[in-house]
Each structure stands twice: as structure tokens, then as C-alpha cells.
């Protein structure tokens, strides 16, 4: 039996090998399976909705990066451990308003998405990249000492060029 919602198929239930007095499924069995399938569809749908709400609460809708609140919590937890170190790099796009004014918000959105993608590529594998809002981004590089931070910053700015 297929589990489906308004958007299409979300799963299926396969029932086989009936155990009991008869080895065939009867009308009552089919009725129970249909009711169970409907309940499973609702449960799976609620789970998907809950996951989407949780994702939307922690991520920027335009870029897909984590948002400022998630970033700050993550960095605070990462640095709360003894001997923990790391570096936070901030990126603020200069003259971004001029791009929006000259080419429109759609072009500005595409630029923000491109910057987000490049920062993710330039960012540390074990780190985190965030859109703070507007034209501001932040990157956290755990276990990065202060003397290595300028090299990382140069690498990130070169990746944007």
C-alpha cells in the first residue's frame, strides 16, 4: 500500500505472509491495513513537517547556510570545551546595496548565493559557514590558532574574487 500526500508518494507498506487460520487476507484485513496506512501517512507527514520547521528555524532560506542564532550557539558550544580554540572570520560585502540598486534584488540574491557557495568551498571541513543577515557572513574554523587565521582569511577572500 502506498503512503501518499498532496505532493505524491512518501513511502509504502508491504504486507506479506499472513499468519492465522487462513493464509489469505480478507476484507477486514484490508480495512485494517487501509486504516493503518492512513495513520502512517499522517505520522510521516507530521515528522516531515517537524523536520522542515526545525531546518527553517536554523537556516537561511536564500543561501541554505545556517543562520546567526545557530552559528552563535554552535561556536559557543565548540569553544566551551577545555583547551578549545578556533577562529571566527567575518565577511561583509562592500557596496552590495549598489548591486541591488543597479541590477535588482534578484541579481543581489544570486550574488549572495554565489558568495555562500564559495565560502563553503573555502571554509574548513570541520568548520561552519553562516549567513548573519543582509550581506554579512561568518565562518568558524575550529582548532585554528590566531597565527593561522590571517592565512585562512586571505584564502577566503581569494575564493570570493
Amino acid at each position: 500500500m502506498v503512503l501518499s500526500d498532496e505532493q505524491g508518494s512518501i513511502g509504502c507498506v508491504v504486507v506479506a505472509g499472513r499468519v492465522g487460520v487462513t493464509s489469505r487476507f480478507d476484507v477486514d484485513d484490508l480495512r485494517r491495513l487501509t486504516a493503518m496506512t492512513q495513520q502512517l501517512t499522517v505520522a510521516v507527514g507530521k515528522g516531515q513537517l517537524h523536520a522542515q520547521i526545525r531546518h527553517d528555524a536554523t537556516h537561511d532560506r536564500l543561501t541554505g547556510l545556517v543562520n546567526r542564532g545557530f552559528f552563535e550557539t554552535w561556536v559557543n558550544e565548540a569553544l566551551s570545551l577545555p583547551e578549545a580554540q578556533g577562529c571566527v572570520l567575518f565577511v561583509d560585502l562592500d557596496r552590495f546595496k549598489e548591486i541591488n540598486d543597479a541590477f535588482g534584488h534578484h541579481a543581489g540574491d544570486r550574488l549572495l548565493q554565489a558568495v555562500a557557495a564559495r565560502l563553503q568551498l573555502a571554509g574548513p571541513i570541520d568548520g561552519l559557514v553562516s549567513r548573519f543577515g543582509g550581506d554579512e557572513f561568518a565562518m568558524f574554523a575550529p582548532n585554528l590558532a590566531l597565527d593561522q587565521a590571517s592565512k585562512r582569511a586571505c584564502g577566503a577572500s581569494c575564493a570570493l574574487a
Side-chain angles (χ1 to χ4, degrees):
M1 302 191 97
V2 176
L3 304 177
S4 59
D5 61 10
E6 304 82 32
Q7 297 172 347
S9 177
I10 58 173
C12 70
V13 175
V14 177
V15 180
R18 187 182 192 292
V19 177
V21 177
T22 177
S23 62
R24 301 187 72 180
F25 293 101
D26 62 20
V27 175
D28 288 336
D29 293 326
L30 182 59
R31 198 173 308 127
R32 281 190 287 279
L33 287 171
T34 301
M36 182 184 73
T37 302
Q38 290 169 343
Q39 292 172 353
L40 281 172
T41 300
V42 170
V44 169
K46 285 181 179 182
Q48 289 175 330
L49 180 60
H50 182 68
Q52 184 65 47
I53 290 169
R54 196 170 347 136
H55 180 271
D56 290 348
T58 58
H59 288 75
D60 176 61
R61 191 174 293 244
L62 179 66
T63 63
L65 298 175
V66 297
N67 63 23
R68 182 180 192 151
F70 184 92
F71 181 85
E72 290 174 347
T73 300
W74 197 82
V75 169
N76 285 333
E77 287 179 15
L79 293 177
S80 69
L81 302 172
E83 305 293 323
Q85 66 176 358
C87 179
V88 175
L89 306 170
F90 288 95
V91 177
D92 186 2
L93 303 180
D94 290 337
R95 300 170 49 191
F96 179 72
K97 183 181 180 322
E98 293 176 27
I99 292 170
N100 270 343
D101 292 345
F103 301 105
H105 291 283
H106 183 66
D109 288 350
R110 287 195 324 245
L111 175 63
L112 292 171
Q113 291 166 335
V115 167
R118 288 187 179 198
L119 286 174
Q120 284 184 297
L121 288 174
I125 294 171
D126 58 346
L128 187 66
V129 179
S130 169
R131 179 171 178 214
F132 260 43
D135 61 356
E136 297 175 332
F137 296 85
M139 182 186 308
F140 177 67
N143 305 314
L144 185 65
L146 195 54
D147 60 336
Q148 300 168 320
S150 62
K151 290 180 186 177
R152 176 67 67 178
C154 289
S157 65
C158 291
L160 293 175

